[in-house]
Amino acid sequence: MTDLVPFREAVRTWGAISLQTFGGPAGQIAVMQRVLVDEKRWIGQQRFLHALNYCMLLPGPEAQQLAIYIGWLLNGTRGGLAAGILFVVPGVLALLALSVIYVAFGETAAVAGLFAGLAPAVLAIVVQAIIRVGKRALADRALVAIAVGAFVALAGFGIAFPIVVAVAAGVGLLLGRLAPHVLKGTGGGHDDGADGPAPVISDDALHAERPTASRALKVLLVGVALWTLPLLIVAVLAGTGSVLWDQGLFFSGTAVVTFGGAYAVLGFVAQRAVETYGWLSPGEMVRGLALAETTPGPLIMVVQFVAFLGAYRDPGGLDPWVAATIGALLTTWVTFVPCFLFIFLGAPYVERLRSNQRLSAALTGITAAVVGVIADLALYFALNTLFARTTETTTGPLSLELPVLASLNETSLLVALAAAAMIFRLRWSVLRTLGACAALGLAIELLPDLP
């Protein structure tokens, strides 16, 4: 296909986005919303949300899948590959370096201070995302109700993510039949360009690549081969009794069951990695999660830290550092390669279904629910960033995670308020805000304790 934007410019843009992907899926979606929809005008708002809806239904990190999808729309297969690879490379390198530092030196004040500044700053970025996406996606009170309902279902009742999505789709279908006027301002039409020039990919443009059975078979065969090849090499060279084989097989499985984002599967990963395999301790799992939350890239990147420690402590006949590096990279490969397969296989079909009125109505309901999902992720991140401890309160089916006020982290609160002022009052860029907050956290951590 013909590039819709110059490929070199696209690569530079995806590289810049990859350095800002802090804060889990909410923060990552916020960055792409700001850069691709609001600033670059490369894709229309409804087209962006349509792609996001599809990615939310897939297993794996939805933000990276969204990057692959939009990269594919802009520059074809090579665009999708560039976007998806660049999306995770900074996080892979950062977490690999931090894993080495952790094993070699343990926790250091400098590293802790750096992350103490980054994590709270992400809260302001996520709030900005909720406001921006909500303004565009919730054009009617009924859609606001869907968003609120999704948030309450997830945060208050612990209802499984697939059920929330299915109910939202059903409500969207019902609205499309009984109150179609509710959906008119939310999708399927021309981007009005009120916030700038018309986008490169308008909301009603049709992607040029047609889905065919032969193309789908080719993508499936190539994708599965690339996904499983490193695991087969490990089986031949290290044997099926090695920790590398166990890690490759286990994380290949988790890659296809992570519905609802990383948070939905991390409990299972932690239980198996700690109790079944003994790759690390419960405290180390928590520290790994903190590292993953404060480095760029998808939160599921924590599995790289898990694999690094597990392979380092049980290297077989390899040098521990070599085994740890191989384990980390193998785990990263089997976790993220399926994302490319899912997008390249399904996106052409999803594009052709955008004109289907029933599907459009269902996806509008899901779009509204996505706002509630992002808000739920933001709440989870805020509770675990601003407070050292939380407590669960249960009343009948209602179950709330409430902060222990005495455990408030005053440094995190200070940095979060400073970040909010930088973004909403001073109108600073995300990168500038993150840099300032990282420096602030580092300075606070390294200052000697006052008497």
Side-chain angles (χ1 to χ4, degrees):
M1 64 167 281
T2 303
D3 289 340
L4 299 183
V5 300
F7 184 64
R8 288 187 178 181
E9 183 181 354
V11 170
R12 286 195 297 270
T13 299
W14 288 115
I17 288 174
S18 72
L19 298 176
Q20 306 173 54
T21 53
F22 295 89
Q28 294 151 12
I29 292 167
V31 170
M32 287 188 280
Q33 163 76 34
R34 176 178 56 80
V35 174
L36 302 175
V37 179
D38 300 332
E39 296 177 2
K40 293 286 188 179
R41 303 293 293 169
W42 281 357
I43 185 170
Q45 180 65 58
Q46 296 306 321
R47 194 67 171 271
F48 179 88
L49 292 173
H50 178 86
L52 177 58
N53 289 336
Y54 172 59
C55 297
M56 292 288 287
L57 299 176
L58 297 174
E62 62 267 30
Q64 188 213 14
Q65 291 164 345
L66 179 61
I68 298 170
Y69 196 124
I70 297 176
W72 172 76
L73 286 175
L74 292 169
N75 299 98
T77 300
R78 67 173 182 168
L81 289 172
I85 292 171
L86 287 172
F87 195 87
V88 299
V89 164
V92 170
L93 297 178
L95 198 54
L96 187 60
L98 291 171
S99 299
V100 171
I101 292 171
Y102 179 83
V103 171
F105 306 108
E107 297 183 75
T108 65
V111 173
L114 185 66
F115 293 145
L118 288 175
V122 170
L123 296 179
I125 299 172
V126 172
V127 171
Q128 185 185 48
I130 295 171
I131 293 172
R132 284 184 170 178
V133 176
K135 284 181 177 179
R136 289 178 167 89
L138 308 179
D140 187 272
R141 291 181 180 179
L143 300 178
V144 173
I146 294 176
V148 172
F151 174 78
V152 172
L154 291 167
F157 294 92
I159 296 176
F161 174 81
I163 296 176
V164 172
V165 169
V167 171
V171 174
L173 281 171
L174 194 62
L175 288 174
R177 174 173 295 184
L178 302 180
H181 63 280
V182 169
L183 310 181
K184 287 183 179 179
T186 63
H190 296 270
D191 190 279
D192 59 16
D195 297 325
V200 173
I201 303 177
S202 63
D203 290 334
D204 56 0
L206 190 63
H207 193 269
E209 188 170 6
R210 298 185 63 87
T212 63
S214 60
R215 179 195 175 278
L217 181 60
K218 180 180 178 181
V219 170
L220 182 62
L221 292 177
V222 172
V224 171
L226 290 174
W227 185 12
T228 57
L229 181 60
L231 191 57
L232 296 177
I233 294 174
V234 165
V236 172
L237 298 181
T240 55
S242 67
V243 68
L244 295 176
W245 168 261
D246 289 340
Q247 290 177 346
L249 198 62
F250 174 65
F251 290 116
S252 292
T254 60
V256 296
V257 298
T258 51
F259 291 95
Y263 295 112
V265 78
L266 282 178
F268 171 71
V269 170
Q271 186 268 329
R272 294 293 300 274
V274 172
E275 299 178 12
T276 303
Y277 294 106
W279 291 331
L280 73 176
S281 68
E284 287 174 330
M285 185 69 199
V286 173
R287 285 190 285 275
L289 180 58
L291 290 178
E293 284 183 324
T294 48
T295 52
L299 181 60
I300 196 65
M301 197 79 74
V302 67
V303 299
Q304 179 186 333
F305 178 81
V306 172
F308 188 95
L309 265 62
Y312 179 86
R313 290 164 179 168
D314 185 14
L318 298 174
D319 177 85
W321 291 107
V322 173
T325 302
I326 294 174
L329 295 179
L330 172 64
T331 295
T332 301
W333 180 271
V334 299
T335 297
F336 291 108
V337 166
C339 296
F340 295 90
L341 175 59
F342 296 148
I343 297 301
F344 291 149
L345 193 62
Y349 295 95
V350 174
E351 283 293 298
R352 297 289 157 175
L353 291 173
R354 285 189 300 107
S355 59
N356 184 295
Q357 295 300 315
R358 288 174 59 82
L359 179 63
S360 177
L363 289 179
T364 297
I366 296 174
T367 297
V370 163
V371 179
V373 172
I374 297 175
D376 176 61
L377 293 176
L379 176 63
Y380 177 91
F381 190 70
L383 288 173
N384 289 275
T385 299
L386 299 180
F387 299 91
R389 300 191 307 278
T390 60
T391 182
E392 188 171 336
T393 300
T394 302
T395 304
L398 181 65
S399 180
L400 297 175
E401 184 181 8
L402 300 176
V404 177
L405 298 181
S407 70
L408 174 67
N409 187 320
E410 296 177 354
T411 298
S412 295
L413 179 60
L414 174 63
V415 175
L417 293 175
M422 294 172 194
I423 287 179
F424 293 105
R425 187 172 183 82
L426 301 178
R427 305 292 182 182
W428 282 13
S429 68
V430 170
L431 276 180
R432 187 179 182 186
T433 300
L434 288 173
C437 290
L440 179 60
L442 189 60
I444 293 173
E445 184 69 27
L446 295 181
L447 283 175
D449 293 334
L450 296 176

